[in-house]
Amino acid sequence: MHLLKQLVFQLQNKILSIINNNILASLLSQLFFISTLSISAQTIPDPNSTIGFEIGSDFNLATYEESISYFEKLSSASDKVQMRNAGYTSEGRKWQYVLISSAENLKKIDHYISISQKLAHPNNLTRTQAKELANEGKAIIDISGGLHASEVAGAQHILTLAYELVNNADTKKYKDILENVILVLWPSLNPDGQDIIASWYLNNVGTPYETASTPWLYQKYVGHDNNRDAYMLNQLESRVIGRTWREWEPNIIHVHHQSSPFPTRIWLPPFAEPVAPQTPPLVAREVNMIGMAMAQELETEGMPGAVHMGKGFDAWYPGYIDYMPMMQNIPSFWTETSLYKFATPHFYTIKDFPKNRADLRVESLYSSPWKGGWWRLKDAVQYMQTASIAVLDYASKYKETLLFNKYQAAVTTIEKYKNEPPYAYFIKQQQRDPVRPVEFLKRLAFNGIKISQLNTKVTFEGITYPKGTWVIPMDQEFGELARQLIDIQEYPDLRESPDGPLEQPYDAAGWTLPYQMEVEVITAMSPLTEEVKLALKPVIGIALPTQDKELKDLNKNDFISGTGFDTNEVAAGIKPLPGKLKGSGSTLLLTPKENNSFRVIGDALHQKLPVSYDSKNQLYAINNASRSRIQNWVNDYAINATLSSSKPKTTVNSRIAVYDPWKASMDMGWTRWLLDNFGIPYTVIRNADINNGNLKDRFDVILMASERPGTIENGFIKGMAPPQYTGGLLGLGVRNIESFIGGGGTLVCLNKSADFAINELHLPIKNSVHQLKRNEFFTGGSILKVINNNTHPVMSGMPEKSGVFVFGSPVFKTLEGFKGEILSKFQEKGSPLLSGYLVGEEHLNNKAAAVDVHYKNGHVILFGFQPQWRGQSMGTYRALFNALFYTKQVAESNTINENWSKTSPIESNEKQVIIEQ
């Protein structure tokens, strides 16, 4: 700046001595140019100066608020940057994303969105028209980080990436990118989590707990599982992201993560095996090319350690928010950059390397092995930024191909299902729970799948479908997504050799939604007749506007609070059959077959209305509710209920506690989400609450979500976390739980926590698969068929047979001294597998999947499955709700069914100890 002032001063002196106007004009022009350069350089703020430290530096993390503050300054300073609102987070934060492109592109942004929509949803668009649109349009590229908030580099690199693009906008490379690309850049894909992690880490820097894990989730309910909710859309953030992507229909989605397999520095596509069978081939090929383009750019920039495929990052499960869009014809992928812990640096030597990588051998998909040394947050930021720029450069160079391929992938799917099955799916309105098919279809519609309804009765393939039946025609652009969610999954048998060990699924192996949600879906295996086609009417409703913070519940009959799915016009048009109220009297009777019955019970409990249970007829009853309130319940929740003059004597006054360990529990988070959405009153208790005793004075039922025994018993070991978060329930806590149950309380254990109860309470139950090797018994996350003891209050409302979701689940065998009832069991012989993967079916035959153990004066309910898994298993919600209302009074009203009093055969003199692996 000092030199600039000197130059200006010299020019001013020359101006005063010059008479010739032409020379004066030339000099004034030079002065104006120099001043303009100075102003331009000053007006592009860099994030380091704005936030107050170098982004990526050791021991520093930018918060979400600091990131937004920087982007506000950047957008004010540059016509190449705009900010837009996406919605709100679960904690009520305003959620924004950033557009970066040329000023001319941003002025015509709606035009380019329109082109993107036409190519994504081609309808009658011809190939020639698509080529013209691809030439005219711009590549819309969505890049984000911070989805998993403890993987901190993602959100930090967004700041440096934006500055790099805007500050160097006049260079050829970036000028071309900004001309051909519209970048949709998310400062964070998890704003709540970014601030939770930054606050925790910055408060601990310099202490013995600098790298300690947070004792709570980095999202209100589900933490790391925010990347497992793409098709179900149970979390508010999932719906905000999904709605934004449907608005833009991006050409590439790139989500940054941090978990590269050590010692590699960054994992890139192609994905590991197996991949989802419904992935459009053209889109898969595109992702593979982009992965190689990123690797090449990293090598060019002297950044070794990029790896592809491997065994860890398969693309089988479509719940990933960064993979499911593949079935919406979007090249979508994640990358995994190496992470130590937060912003703390770490030095690695070859001694730290696993044996198979210690020789630094060059591999075909690991061309430049990393040799060790310091690894800092700044390194991760640089790797991510290089990968992001490579994606943008690829999109710029192959813009027309990217845009046309979206059209081509859509047309290919449409043509495929015009000529081969399944041709359609039929879903009748009248089902055991008429609201559950609505829940199923709304999620599909929100994800862009088109739904129709029959406007008259038709008969097709020997089945008569009444008017109002929903139909999903498969000759549509997102048909592969519908099939991926509805069909049965058959996980491939992957082994290095015929007798070699099984390769374990990275996540769920089977998730078939009709099984999980207990919805009957009928597949059309032949082309639809003209009669059916003429009867199809596309479902279109009136989309609700996005409400402030999206918290106001505008549609109560679905299980999601807030505006739910009805900001989408198709989802808004999917409505359940109206609720019905029959009979007379002052007592409202509710069937547990319908999930919304429990929302009514939750309302009643909050209103302090008496709730009781009729064990003979297996109905819940609400007394003293006004007729207008009852009618509102029927209308709002679309329930089928009965009025009666008789009042069941067994009261349901369950004081529910949910145990939340300090080791952050996603399964408990999902449980809290479910209870909150259904309005079931409960109290969260921690280790201190249990260790302090007097549990029976405060609670009737204690719920433990799926936790390993070691998590419950020991929690954080001393030194791993600040003292207030360490320890577990071993010793005093176990004795207090034993006293609680002995005094008439009910302990409910889901899935893995059943092993804790078996071990510590010395129950006459054995987990018969605990010590089996994976080649002897393995399920992964799969759906198995069980037979239900549906006369028991806990299984009330369940069908005789149903699918349950298992994930590392125990299998129960009764031992000598067992008293109680089997709640659910596997068949005597054959495989109970419905969807997913199973080895060792013989270890399930004649065993129990759920048990009611009578323990002194109380009960222990053991579920060998996950009745609320990620909010998806709606067909088993009722079993969990029933268990939470299974108080001493309800248990005493139950008549034991002797046919369910043991597994066969009972094994005597057998004890079991669960040892944490």
Side-chain angles (χ1 to χ4, degrees), residues 497-511:
S497 63
D499 297 324
L502 298 168
E503 290 192 17
Q504 187 174 356
Y506 183 75
D507 205 276
W511 51 84

Side-chain angles (χ1 to χ4, degrees), residues 301-594:
E301 295 298 322
M303 298 181 182
V307 70
H308 310 266
M309 293 187 70
K311 294 184 179 180
F313 301 114
D314 65 60
W316 175 257
Y317 177 58
Y320 303 137
I321 205 166
D322 38 24
Y323 183 70
M324 190 202 74
M326 292 282 279
M327 277 147 284
Q328 297 161 317
N329 304 314
I330 300 172
S332 180
F333 56 89
W334 69 96
T335 54
E336 301 274 359
T337 304
S338 184
L339 168 71
Y340 176 58
K341 293 181 179 179
F342 306 117
T344 297
H346 190 73
F347 189 85
Y348 295 94
T349 71
I350 208 74
K351 293 181 180 179
D352 299 314
F353 286 25
K355 289 183 179 180
N356 67 326
R357 289 274 165 75
D359 61 356
L360 304 180
R361 180 174 60 87
V362 173
E363 303 170 28
S364 60
L365 296 178
Y366 184 43
S367 303
S368 55
W370 187 62
K371 298 177 181 179
W374 280 104
W375 187 254
R376 291 182 158 87
L377 174 60
K378 185 176 182 179
D379 297 315
V381 167
Q382 289 173 339
Y383 270 67
M384 288 182 173
Q385 180 161 312
T386 301
S388 292
I389 290 171
V391 171
L392 295 170
D393 190 42
Y394 178 93
S396 174
K397 291 174 179 175
Y398 300 104
K399 186 261 296 183
E400 289 87 353
T401 302
L402 270 173
L403 270 66
F404 180 77
N405 281 353
K406 176 181 280 291
Y407 160 84
Q408 185 58 52
V411 169
T412 299
T413 300
I414 292 169
E415 292 301 316
K416 174 182 177 179
Y417 291 111
K418 284 181 179 179
N419 298 295
E420 65 181 71
Y423 293 92
Y425 296 102
F426 289 79
I427 302 97
K428 294 180 180 179
Q429 288 183 295
Q430 187 61 60
Q431 306 220 12
R432 290 187 85 243
D433 180 349
V435 174
R436 233 171 299 142
V438 173
E439 291 289 328
F440 168 66
L441 291 167
K442 278 180 178 285
R443 286 165 169 80
L444 298 185
F446 199 92
N447 274 315
I449 294 170
K450 298 168 184 174
I451 315 290
S452 293
Q453 264 186 303
L454 296 177
N455 60 16
T456 186
K457 181 175 71 173
V458 301
T459 299
F460 177 72
E461 293 183 327
I463 301 172
T464 298
Y465 296 99
K467 177 182 178 180
T469 297
W470 291 289
V471 182
I472 304 172
M474 283 295 288
D475 56 344
Q476 57 174 294
E477 55 271 30
F478 293 174
E480 296 291 21
L481 177 58
R483 186 176 180 186
Q484 185 73 8
L485 301 180
I486 294 172
D487 278 10
I488 293 170
Q489 284 75 53
E490 296 180 3
Y491 192 85
D493 189 326
L494 299 176
R495 306 168 189 254
E496 292 183 358
S497 63
D499 297 324
L502 298 168
E503 290 192 17
Q504 187 174 356
Y506 183 75
D507 205 276
W511 51 84
T512 307
L513 290 186
Y515 285 152
Q516 286 204 77
M517 302 176 77
E518 197 186 286
V519 173
E520 183 186 16
V521 178
I522 302 171
T523 304
M525 297 304 292
S526 57
L528 300 182
T529 62
E530 285 303 310
E531 178 193 14
V532 174
K533 290 180 181 178
L534 290 172
L536 292 179
K537 181 181 179 182
V539 174
I540 297 292
I542 299 174
L544 297 173
T546 303
Q547 302 297 306
D548 286 347
K549 299 191 178 181
E550 302 195 46
L551 298 180
K552 186 178 180 181
D553 198 353
L554 299 179
N555 185 9
K556 292 188 176 182
N557 62 56
D558 64 34
F559 302 161
I560 301 295
S561 60
T563 50
F565 304 107
D566 287 356
T567 55
N568 175 282
E569 65 177 2
V570 178
I574 300 168
K575 300 182 183 300
L577 293 170
K580 294 180 180 179
L581 182 64
K582 61 182 181 181
S584 61
S586 59
T587 300
L588 179 67
L589 300 178
L590 300 168
T591 173
K593 290 180 182 180
E594 299 183 19

Side-chain angles (χ1 to χ4, degrees), residues 646-842:
S646 62
K647 175 183 175 182
K649 296 180 180 179
T650 304
T651 61
V652 178
N653 184 26
S654 186
R655 299 167 298 169
I656 301 166
V658 295
Y659 169 63
D660 206 355
W662 283 119
K663 271 194 171 181
S665 168
M666 286 185 289
D667 200 59
M668 178 48 70
W670 279 113
T671 304
R672 289 189 291 102
W673 169 85
L674 180 61
L675 298 181
D676 285 349
N677 273 346
F678 277 74
I680 307 296
Y682 67 93
T683 301
V684 172
I685 58 174
R686 299 283 192 173
N687 294 337
D689 297 293
I690 293 178
N691 290 331
N692 288 338
N694 298 319
L695 295 171
K696 193 65 185 72
D697 295 339
R698 294 180 287 159
F699 307 112
D700 300 292
V701 176
I702 296 176
L703 171 64
M704 288 184 168
S706 184
E707 309 293 346
R708 294 180 179 180
T711 297
I712 300 172
E713 294 162 354
N714 304 312
F716 282 118
I717 304 299
K718 185 178 180 181
M720 290 179 61
Q724 63 269 36
Y725 305 120
T726 59
L729 302 182
L730 199 60
L732 180 60
V734 171
R735 291 195 294 273
N736 287 336
I737 289 174
E738 186 176 15
S739 177
F740 164 77
I741 305 168
T746 299
L747 176 67
V748 179
C749 294
L750 307 184
N751 211 44
K752 294 179 182 179
S753 65
D755 284 337
F756 162 79
I758 291 171
N759 238 20
E760 297 301 333
L761 300 175
H762 307 289
L763 302 179
I765 295 287
K766 178 182 179 180
N767 175 1
S768 63
V769 300
H770 177 71
Q771 295 185 355
L772 296 178
K773 297 177 181 178
R774 286 200 312 138
N775 63 348
E776 297 174 300
F777 179 81
F778 178 68
T779 60
S782 300
I783 305 172
L784 305 182
K785 181 173 64 177
V786 295
I787 306 164
N788 297 310
N789 174 10
N790 54 15
T791 63
H792 190 285
V794 170
M795 304 305 285
S796 177
M798 291 292 292
E800 180 185 353
K801 297 179 181 179
S802 64
V804 297
F805 191 87
V806 299
F807 208 143
S809 301
V811 177
F812 304 121
K813 180 165 55 177
T814 58
L815 305 179
E816 187 176 3
F818 171 77
K819 294 181 180 179
E821 276 187 84
I822 306 303
L823 302 176
S824 201
K825 66 182 179 181
F826 298 103
Q827 60 203 51
E828 291 186 10
K829 59 183 179 179
S831 175
L833 180 65
L834 293 175
S835 183
Y837 197 68
L838 172 63
V839 171
E841 63 192 51
E842 66 274 14

Side-chain angles (χ1 to χ4, degrees), residues 145-188:
L147 176 66
H148 292 155
S150 59
E151 300 165 9
V152 296
Q156 306 297 304
H157 108 282
I158 297 296
L159 298 162
T160 61
L161 173 63
Y163 178 68
E164 173 81 6
L165 291 170
V166 178
N167 191 55
N168 298 293
D170 292 329
T171 64
K172 183 181 187 313
K173 181 175 183 177
Y174 293 127
K175 186 175 183 180
D176 288 347
I177 288 175
L178 296 179
E179 170 59 29
N180 294 313
V181 170
I182 297 169
L183 173 59
V184 178
L185 191 66
W186 297 78
S188 175

Side-chain angles (χ1 to χ4, degrees), residues 3-18 23-35:
L3 291 174
L4 180 65
K5 288 181 178 178
Q6 281 188 324
L7 182 57
V8 171
F9 180 76
Q10 292 171 5
L11 288 170
Q12 287 174 334
N13 287 339
K14 288 182 180 180
I15 291 169
L16 293 174
S17 63
I18 294 173
I23 295 176
L24 176 62
S26 175
L27 289 170
L28 287 174
S29 176
Q30 291 180 47
L31 176 62
F32 176 77
F33 176 71
I34 293 169
S35 300

